[in-house]
Amino acid sequence: MKWGHHLPRASWSSALGRTLQIPAKRIPFLVHWSWFLKGQNPLGPSRALIRQHGSSMDCAPPPGKHGQLFGSISAAEAIQQHRRNLAEWFTRLPREERQFGPTFALDTVHVDPVIRESTLDELLRPSAELALEHERPRARLPPLALSQLFDPDACGRRVQTVVLYGTVGTGKSTLVRKMVLDWCYGRLPAFELLIPFSCEDLSSLGPAPASLSQLVVQRYTPLKEVLPLMAITGSRLLFVLHGLERLNLDFRLSGTGLCSDPNEPGAPAAIIVNLLRKYMLPEASILVTTRPSAISRIPSKYVGRYGEICGFSDTNLQKLYFQIRLNQPDCGYSAGGAGVSATPAHQDNLVQMLSRNLEGHHQIAAACFLPSYCWLVCATLHFLLAPTPAGQTLTSIYTSFLRLNFSGETLDSTDPSNLSLMAYAARTMGKLAYDGVSSRKTYFSEEDVRGCLEAGIKTEEEFQLLHIFRRDALRFFLAPCVEPGHLGTFVFTVPAMQEYLAALYIVLGLRKTTLQRVGKEVAELVGRVGEDVTLVLGIVAKLLPLRILPLLFNLLKVVPQVFGRMVGKSRKAVAQAMVLEMFREEDYYNDDVLDQMGASILGVEGPRRHPDEPPDDEVFELFPMFMGGLLSAHNRAVLAQLGCPIKNLDALENAQAIKKKLGKLGRRVLPPSELFDHLFFHYEFQNQRFSAEVLSSLRQLNLAGVRMTPLKCTVVASVLDSGRHALDEVNLASCQLDPAGLCTLKPVLLRARKLGLQLNNLGPEACGNLRDLLLHDQCQITTLRLSNNPLTEEGVALLVEGLAGNTSLTHLSLLHTGLGDKGLELLAAQLDRNKQLKELNVAYNGAGDTAALALAKAAWEHPSLELLHLYFNELSSEGRQVLRDLAGTAEGGVRVVASLTEGAAVSEYWSMILNEVQRNLNSWDWARVRRHLELLLRDLEDSRCATLNPWRKAQLLRVESEVKALLEHLGGSGS
């Protein structure tokens, strides 16, 4: 996670000057400290009062007198302005951090990683083997707090220069940012002045001469008044040099001469060398952060203490980090930009589930050893569970995660190739990841890892780059496996990272066959000499009538075309592999990819797999999703910043190959979870035209049983918004939908002809959304199934308003929706306002004889209604008989289904009624269903006794046997 190069200068002063009033005389540091202890803060924000684990606010001021260094009013004002400017700059968060909400701020939410002091002997020890490089740090010297970094060493010597080193992702940048903010808010009283430098910024200046004073004033204009006093500041002046691996330092006198004058111009690297030599400003304190491979650039005699940033080696630190991050208020945004907050109970439950998984699933704890991966876990959970900002995808989260850790990072600043660290990782780790996906494995031996890292290495320079990558970044991507049965192997730090890197390896075109590599070299050679040879052959052909020359001339033209076809076939093969991975029949009944990812982070509730039970096959369903996501314009732009550019032409040709394969295989009928995965691929791709063409043949959207979280609703709505064709059926039964989900899905629901919303626990508040849906002028719904939702009479009052103004609905099912007598009476009173309804199902609603009879009379008077379902209501035998009698005398054509019998015969709807019962047994009250079935069985027996027709008796006996079988299943008596 990087921080910027240059600070805006005088433009801040007017905006920030009002936040702090400097008194007439200088404010000593002891006064700042007393303000903090008394609960006050001269910088205004209350964030200084909040402390989390590892904060440096508890450091004590050094012994001696204070407040004598910057005594003049102008110098004190300059220092305070410098504090304000630094605080303003370092509290600016990247867009990836702002997704956690407006109240999130680094200075209020921070957990310091473990810092362990290292000895010189440990640093000089030869490089360990691959397996040992991945072991967790052994307990050596006790951990260091930030306040202890400049304490005297074990021999009592004063420490002036501290070098903190850590691999990529251990939190070096965040630690520096937090330390600077601590100083800004008066929590580092040991230092009167802190001057941070980004070594990336200094390296961008090149050899252009500039003095230390110029470097300071260019970046921190208010310190112009303080420059003359820097030499007498002593140890109260702290320089922070972040990212030393960016600078090429030469400590030889022949390479960098001695210079003690801060005003003497020189190369930035030379100024840093003299600061570290203690030849310039010898009393100043210096804090350096660097990657492990660059530690040796500073001779050890100039370093007072080495500290290794070990990340969150304690699981309790991981839990604390998650608790702080996930309990932030206002951490979500709806599609319209309004804040959406999770309830405290939901947040606590989330943290508890994650904590349990950290305790029981040691592999995720091994991944969260790196603070960067803790960030990724939180960002992924936020993506999965909170309303998603427009345009944010899972691929963009992983790409942004890599940008935060690798942006601007080169593998070796001393190497002339200036190779991007991320490009090197894509080539090596991407190959390992793709080999694992293609062979369907996630565990890698040491030989597997070595084979991918050392493939194609021939020169000493290449071995040096590999050595740097191993020390600085290999731990970021691979972790030792801690699962029983796989000890001694390696896994990718998080499983999804393997699929992401495999996809990146493919879309970057790094996977090439031997034929392609040879063909490319031949094509390039022919291209270089082809024009000259063609010209010569043309001249010779005119002078000598040789028939073979035109043949050679045409062959030269054919070579590039053949190579182009080979590349095209390669892209087709990649598209074929991706589509086949997406539509593997073995994965048809898995959870969708988002639920799989949530389960991998939060764990699966219930008993764990027995150790002797054979494991399931490895599933790589995210691999095609990431491939599509990496081809989107946004992710390609971010990858270009990381040194991994994807050419527009390559992206276009890959997309065309994928579209052709999807067009052939995407027309098959998919199970709900696989259909959602297909839609999620289009969401990751973020190409409306592509999705509209591929999904133009989709007519049935069956997502029954898919848990429709806010994110999934957004996915379905945004993907299907690319098309305008009608959908014959949209089945969202048992999807745990809520009113917010209905609102998000409204554009899709408007295009549906048949809409199934059964078993979603939709209450009265959802009926307002349904009313608006039915009243919309673009509504095409003809069949609406709302059975098994607690709508109640309150909800049906809103629903009848929609029925009154709707002109498309012909079939409405309100089976088991808790309407009661009042609900049926409301329907009876308002039914005549709708003129096209043909079928109405209000079965199993607890209605009595009076309400059922009123609705039946309204149905008989309705101009278009043909069928009314009233079975399983609280109808007496007399009430059912009255309905039969009225049906015989009524002039309307509506059929009222209240029983399995019609007079002495079997009702033609008996099969439909029993099928409805079987389908809904899991959600209905069995005792109540058994009572209704016993009443229906009595009707059947009475009808059988009343009829003399043997054919009717046989039909009645058959239905009786079906009812008795159901009663036996429910535990009732069939006699």
Side-chain angles (χ1 to χ4, degrees):
M1 295 127 188
K2 305 299 169 190
W3 47 283
H5 297 178
H6 297 278
L7 292 175
R9 300 169 188 166
S11 59
W12 291 348
S13 56
S14 60
L16 295 173
R18 296 184 298 271
T19 62
L20 175 61
Q21 299 297 326
I22 303 298
K25 58 182 179 179
R26 185 194 56 77
I27 304 173
F29 273 88
L30 287 178
V31 176
H32 283 289
W33 191 246
S34 64
W35 268 335
F36 181 77
L37 294 177
K38 293 176 182 177
Q40 303 173 9
N41 181 14
L43 287 175
S46 60
R47 62 186 67 179
L49 303 179
I50 301 175
R51 174 179 181 264
Q52 300 298 344
H53 177 88
S55 174
S56 56
M57 62 172 283
D58 54 351
C59 57
K65 296 182 179 180
H66 308 288
Q68 303 299 322
L69 299 178
F70 302 108
S72 67
I73 295 176
S74 59
E77 290 177 348
I79 294 295
Q80 295 306 315
Q81 183 65 46
H82 179 56
R83 289 176 186 271
R84 286 195 295 266
N85 290 355
L86 283 181
E88 172 70 16
W89 180 256
F90 280 88
T91 52
R92 292 181 180 179
L93 298 174
R95 180 176 58 85
E96 290 83 2
E97 293 283 19
R98 293 198 298 272
Q99 69 177 315
F100 289 104
T103 63
F104 177 81
L106 182 67
D107 54 319
T108 62
V109 181
H110 178 73
V111 179
D112 282 342
V114 173
I115 303 175
R116 296 192 184 276
E117 186 170 359
S118 300
T119 64
L120 186 60
D121 292 338
E122 292 170 347
L123 296 174
L124 295 177
R125 189 175 55 205
S127 297
E129 289 298 316
L130 179 67
L132 298 178
E133 287 179 354
H134 286 71
E135 289 181 357
R136 290 198 173 195
R138 297 182 298 273
R140 300 182 292 265
L141 297 175
L144 288 171
L146 286 180
S147 59
Q148 301 172 325
L149 292 179
F150 290 92
D151 286 355
D153 63 12
C155 299
R157 292 187 297 252
R158 177 183 167 196
V159 173
Q160 289 181 279
T161 302
V162 176
V163 174
L164 297 180
Y165 64 94
T167 60
V168 175
T170 50
K172 298 184 295 295
S173 299
T174 306
L175 193 66
V176 168
R177 186 190 295 265
K178 180 59 170 56
M179 190 172 187
V180 172
L181 289 174
D182 278 348
W183 179 79
C184 292
Y185 298 127
R187 300 199 288 265
L188 276 181
F191 302 104
E192 287 246 9
L193 179 59
L194 184 147
I195 301 177
F197 281 116
S198 166
C199 293
E200 180 183 6
D201 174 26
L202 297 179
S203 67
S204 67
L205 301 177
S211 68
L212 176 61
S213 299
Q214 289 174 331
L215 292 177
V216 172
V217 172
Q218 285 175 1
R219 284 149 187 79
Y220 311 110
T221 306
L223 295 184
K224 187 175 183 179
E225 299 289 337
V226 183
L227 288 179
L229 304 175
M230 282 200 307
I232 63 171
T233 306
S235 63
R236 306 295 303 281
L237 170 62
L238 174 63
F239 286 100
V240 177
L241 305 177
H242 177 56
L244 190 75
E245 68 276 357
R246 306 295 187 93
L247 285 176
N248 298 329
L249 303 182
D250 187 356
F251 279 82
R252 297 173 303 167
L253 288 177
S254 60
T256 304
L258 297 175
C259 178
S260 62
D261 186 0
N263 299 313
E264 179 70 23
I271 293 173
I272 298 302
V273 167
N274 279 298
L275 277 175
L276 292 169
R277 282 172 173 167
K278 292 303 174 185
Y279 202 78
M280 183 184 294
L281 301 179
E283 296 298 318
S285 301
I286 302 176
L287 176 68
V288 178
T289 66
T290 184
R291 300 199 311 240
S293 62
I295 297 175
S296 59
R297 295 187 187 181
I298 306 177
S300 59
K301 63 182 178 180
Y302 299 127
V303 179
R305 173 172 284 128
Y306 292 97
E308 181 182 6
I309 304 176
C310 299
F312 295 153
S313 55
D314 184 356
T315 307
N316 291 325
L317 291 181
Q318 300 174 9
K319 294 179 182 178
L320 180 61
Y321 180 96
F322 292 130
Q323 183 178 3
I324 294 170
R325 285 268 182 160
L326 298 175
N327 281 327
Q328 284 296 297
D330 304 323
C331 61
Y333 295 93
S334 65
V340 179
S341 299
T343 62
H346 176 73
Q347 291 175 332
D348 291 342
N349 182 54
L350 196 64
V351 172
Q352 289 175 9
M353 290 179 67
L354 188 52
S355 297
R356 286 197 299 269
N357 202 28
L358 284 171
E359 294 170 357
H361 187 189
H362 300 295
Q363 198 60 56
I364 191 175
C368 293
F369 163 76
L370 292 175
S372 291
Y373 277 96
C374 292
W375 181 93
L376 181 61
V377 167
C378 289
T380 305
L381 283 177
H382 192 268
F383 172 74
L384 293 175
L385 303 176
T388 306
Q392 188 182 60
T393 65
L394 185 63
T395 311
S396 70
I397 287 178
Y398 274 73
T399 306
S400 299
F401 168 66
L402 294 176
R403 187 187 71 81
L404 286 171
N405 287 278
F406 290 94
S407 179
E409 293 278 1
T410 56
L411 189 58
D412 184 9
S413 61
T414 63
D415 186 67
S417 65
N418 204 29
L419 180 62
S420 160
L421 181 56
M422 189 61 229
Y424 192 90
R427 192 177 70 213
T428 53
M429 293 293 95
K431 177 175 173 26
L432 181 67
Y434 180 75
D435 290 347
V437 170
S438 58
S439 59
R440 310 199 71 77
K441 69 176 184 179
T442 57
Y443 304 98
F444 302 93
S445 66
E446 187 172 333
E447 289 72 21
D448 295 334
V449 179
R450 288 187 183 278
C452 289
L453 288 175
E454 299 176 0
I457 292 182
K458 299 177 182 178
T459 65
E460 180 65 27
E461 291 76 12
E462 291 173 337
F463 271 107
Q464 178 63 23
L465 293 178
L466 174 59
H467 174 71
I468 293 173
F469 180 78
R470 277 180 171 173
R471 292 202 66 185
D472 291 350
L474 188 58
R475 177 65 181 87
F476 183 87
F477 296 103
L478 290 181
C481 183
V482 295
E483 296 178 4
H486 296 283
L487 298 178
T489 62
F490 297 86
V491 294
F492 279 84
T493 314
V494 292
M497 184 57 74
Q498 177 181 351
E499 298 177 69
Y500 179 93
L501 291 173
L504 182 61
Y505 183 72
I506 293 298
V507 299
L508 288 177
L510 298 174
R511 177 182 176 269
K512 291 183 174 67
T513 63
T514 303
L515 181 61
Q516 286 177 309
R517 288 193 294 269
V518 173
K520 183 180 180 181
E521 294 174 359
V522 172
E524 289 176 350
L525 177 63
V526 172
R528 284 195 298 268
V529 302
E531 294 182 1
D532 296 336
V533 174
T534 300
L535 179 62
V536 173
L537 288 178
I539 295 172
V540 173
K542 291 181 180 180
L543 297 176
L544 299 174
L546 300 177
R547 295 182 180 181
I548 195 172
L549 293 180
L551 178 61
L552 294 174
F553 178 80
N554 291 328
L555 283 175
L556 287 174
K557 293 182 177 180
V558 166
V559 171
Q561 296 176 1
V562 170
F563 176 70
R565 289 179 181 176
M566 287 194 325
V567 174
K569 289 183 178 179
S570 173
R571 291 197 177 97
K572 290 179 181 178
V574 169
Q576 175 84 3
M578 190 214 74
V579 174
L580 289 177
E581 185 66 42
M582 187 185 301
F583 296 114
R584 287 181 76 239
E585 292 187 6
E586 295 90 338
D587 302 335
Y588 267 17
Y589 299 100
N590 294 337
D591 291 337
D592 60 79
V593 289
L594 295 183
D595 280 352
Q596 289 179 35
M597 177 159 280
S600 69
I601 296 175
L602 297 175
V604 179
E605 297 297 321
R608 294 186 176 273
R609 180 189 300 276
H610 191 274
D612 297 332
E613 186 179 348
D616 296 332
D617 290 337
E618 298 294 347
V619 177
F620 296 100
E621 293 182 277
L622 276 175
F623 168 64
M625 314 300 167
F626 283 137
M627 274 194 64
L630 289 171
L631 292 175
S632 69
H634 169 74
N635 286 306
R636 284 191 285 121
V638 177
L639 287 172
Q641 298 173 16
L642 294 173
C644 302
I646 301 173
K647 296 179 180 179
N648 290 331
L649 183 59
D650 290 341
L652 177 62
E653 292 177 349
N654 277 318
Q656 289 175 343
I658 292 171
K659 181 169 66 175
K660 188 175 295 185
K661 295 298 179 181
L662 280 178
K664 292 179 180 179
L665 296 177
R667 295 189 184 96
R668 64 179 67 174
V669 178
L670 299 173
S673 61
E674 290 297 306
L675 177 57
F676 177 80
D677 290 347
H678 186 194
L679 297 179
F680 187 64
F681 166 81
H682 289 276
Y683 179 77
E684 291 292 311
F685 196 19
Q686 294 283 297
N687 188 320
Q688 294 284 342
R689 182 178 177 182
F690 176 92
S691 299
E693 293 178 5
V694 173
L695 297 174
S696 60
S697 60
L698 182 67
R699 289 294 182 270
Q700 291 188 337
L701 181 65
N702 180 16
L703 297 177
V706 176
R707 186 171 58 92
M708 295 300 290
T709 62
L711 170 61
K712 294 179 186 178
C713 292
T714 301
V715 168
V716 174
S718 62
V719 170
L720 294 182
D721 190 50
S722 60
R724 291 291 178 267
H725 62 279
L727 299 170
D728 294 338
E729 183 174 5
V730 174
N731 187 358
L732 296 173
S734 302
C735 289
Q736 302 181 33
L737 272 173
D738 56 12
L742 290 176
C743 186
T744 304
L745 291 170
K746 186 176 180 180
V748 178
L749 304 184
L750 287 172
R751 293 163 49 195
R753 291 198 174 97
K754 293 181 179 180
L755 176 59
L757 296 174
Q758 314 94 295
L759 290 162
N760 275 296
N761 203 30
L762 296 173
E765 63 278 3
C767 291
N769 301 91
L770 295 172
R771 175 197 58 195
D772 298 339
L773 182 67
L774 292 173
L775 293 176
H776 199 281
D777 57 357
Q778 296 180 7
C779 179
Q780 305 180 43
I781 300 174
T782 59
T783 300
L784 177 59
R785 294 187 289 270
L786 295 172
S787 56
N788 298 295
N789 287 296
L791 304 181
T792 70
E793 67 272 9
E794 181 183 351
V796 84
L798 297 171
L799 205 57
V800 293
E801 297 178 18
L803 286 175
N806 180 270
T807 58
S808 63
L809 192 65
T810 58
H811 296 74
L812 175 62
S813 175
L814 298 174
L815 171 75
H816 192 216
T817 50
L819 302 185
D821 288 336
K822 293 183 178 180
L824 263 65
E825 290 168 357
L826 273 171
L827 282 171
Q830 302 290 332
L831 193 60
D832 60 339
R833 298 175 62 188
N834 179 285
K835 304 301 181 184
Q836 73 286 334
L837 198 63
K838 295 182 178 179
E839 182 176 348
L840 177 61
N841 188 341
V842 290
Y844 199 5
N845 271 293
D849 293 347
T850 304
L853 186 59
L855 182 58
K857 289 180 178 179
W860 281 316
E861 297 172 359
H862 195 275
S864 61
L865 198 63
E866 298 174 356
L867 188 61
L868 174 65
H869 301 259
L870 286 173
Y871 50 88
F872 277 26
N873 279 294
E874 304 302 320
L875 303 179
S876 63
S877 300
E878 294 78 9
R880 290 198 297 275
Q881 186 60 45
V882 170
L883 288 174
R884 293 193 193 99
D885 295 341
L886 288 175
T889 59
E891 298 179 359
V894 64
R895 302 287 299 273
V896 178
V897 182
S899 178
L900 293 174
T901 61
E902 291 180 3
V906 175
S907 169
E908 62 180 289
Y909 300 105
W910 72 269
S911 179
M912 177 198 66
I913 295 173
L914 294 183
N915 287 337
E916 198 75 54
V917 173
Q918 289 176 327
R919 211 168 27 238
N920 293 282
L921 272 182
N922 290 333
S923 60
W924 286 3
D925 179 10
W926 281 22
R928 188 175 173 187
V929 172
R930 184 165 56 247
R931 180 167 54 84
H932 283 292
L933 287 175
E934 288 171 348
L935 291 174
L936 294 177
L937 183 61
R938 194 177 308 159
D939 279 352
L940 288 169
E941 292 171 345
D942 291 345
S943 298
R944 180 165 51 85
C945 294
T947 184
L948 298 176
N949 188 321
W951 174 249
R952 287 183 179 177
K953 281 184 179 290
Q955 283 186 315
L956 290 166
L957 280 172
R958 179 189 172 190
V959 178
E960 280 183 43
S961 64
E962 296 279 352
V963 174
K964 289 177 180 178
L966 267 178
L967 283 170
E968 289 177 1
H969 176 66
L970 294 172
S973 172
S975 59

